[in-house]
Amino acid sequence: MFPLKDDLPVHRTPVVTWVILAANVLAFLWQVGVVGLEYSVYAGGAIPYEILRFRDLVGGRQVPDLVRPPLTVFTSMFLHGGWGHIFSNMLFLWIFGNNVEDALGRGRFLFFYLASGVAAALAQTAATAVQAGGLPPAEARAALAIPMVGASGAIAGVLAAYMILFPQARILTLVPIFIIIRLFYIPARVFIGLWFLLQLLMALGGVTGAGGVAFFAHIGGFVAGLVLVKITGRRRVERRPAEW
């Protein structure tokens, strides 16, 4: 299933969503046009070993970090591994982020987004550490040295908030049925629920990073979003008294 748009208008310009989207695009242009994808992923990605040890892992393919670990959990949210990666993430942010920002308010939405991304990185780090615990030392070290990049963990939190705040919203979705492509309006709670179920199935099937996808980061960001949206609450909307 591929989302195209939702049917909810916004009441305020989603400034924070646009800034986050622009920051991701500019960071990706820096990756591909200035330093190269591989260098940028190792320099700014969240590497489990570094997060657990609070120190930069330099040597082999590793390069000096842009910031000191574990602050790389923040830089990793704005870096991506390829054109398809950033396109899909920014599409989801564009569709779902504006309404969540509208409901939470700009300041709380920025906090919500960053906190969900941090929770996602920590969840994937924990899952990788557990998996590495059953491996020989050399293989465990190699697994812990694989960097994580992408906004999908933070966006998973946005999806969770959208599902809670706007369960009746409809998502125009492209659905391939064999060789036929159809468009359907799917309720947000169904679309997002199916998305999360897929992440759970892949993660519980022992896939911590198949194809470069950090499924436990998605789960961690989503669960964090469910909790944080309850804590932050909706923004207060001032209402003027009716005119006589």
Side-chain angles (χ1 to χ4, degrees), residues 73-226:
V73 296
F74 292 104
T75 56
S76 67
M77 291 184 218
F78 297 91
L79 304 178
H80 290 83
W83 289 98
H85 190 200
I86 188 172
F87 175 78
S88 60
N89 277 346
M90 293 305 98
L91 176 64
F92 272 71
L93 178 61
W94 176 264
I95 294 173
F96 299 102
N98 57 354
N99 294 107
V100 176
E101 178 184 343
D102 201 25
L104 299 185
R106 290 166 182 160
R108 280 180 289 186
F109 176 71
L110 179 60
F111 165 78
F112 174 92
Y113 182 89
L114 295 175
S116 295
V118 170
L122 295 180
Q124 185 64 35
T125 296
T128 303
V130 171
Q131 183 191 46
L135 299 175
E139 294 182 22
R141 184 180 177 87
L144 290 169
I146 298 175
M148 300 176 285
V149 293
S152 54
I155 294 171
V158 173
L159 291 177
Y162 192 102
M163 185 177 70
I164 296 297
L165 296 169
F166 312 108
Q168 302 300 327
R170 299 186 306 161
I171 311 301
L172 181 62
T173 308
L174 187 152
V175 181
I177 304 175
F178 298 107
I179 61 173
I180 302 174
I181 297 177
R182 299 292 300 273
L183 295 176
F184 297 96
Y185 271 104
I186 300 176
R189 59 186 175 186
V190 175
F191 179 91
I192 297 173
L194 289 174
W195 176 88
F196 182 66
L197 178 61
L198 176 62
Q199 313 311 305
L200 276 177
L201 291 175
M202 297 298 289
L204 295 178
V207 184
T208 58
V213 180
F215 292 106
F216 279 101
H218 298 173
I219 293 171
F222 191 89
V223 173
L226 292 177

Side-chain angles (χ1 to χ4, degrees), residues 26-47:
L26 290 174
F28 186 71
L29 293 177
W30 169 77
Q31 288 182 263
V32 298
V34 180
V35 298
L37 276 177
E38 183 174 4
Y39 179 92
S40 64
V41 165
Y42 279 99
I47 298 175

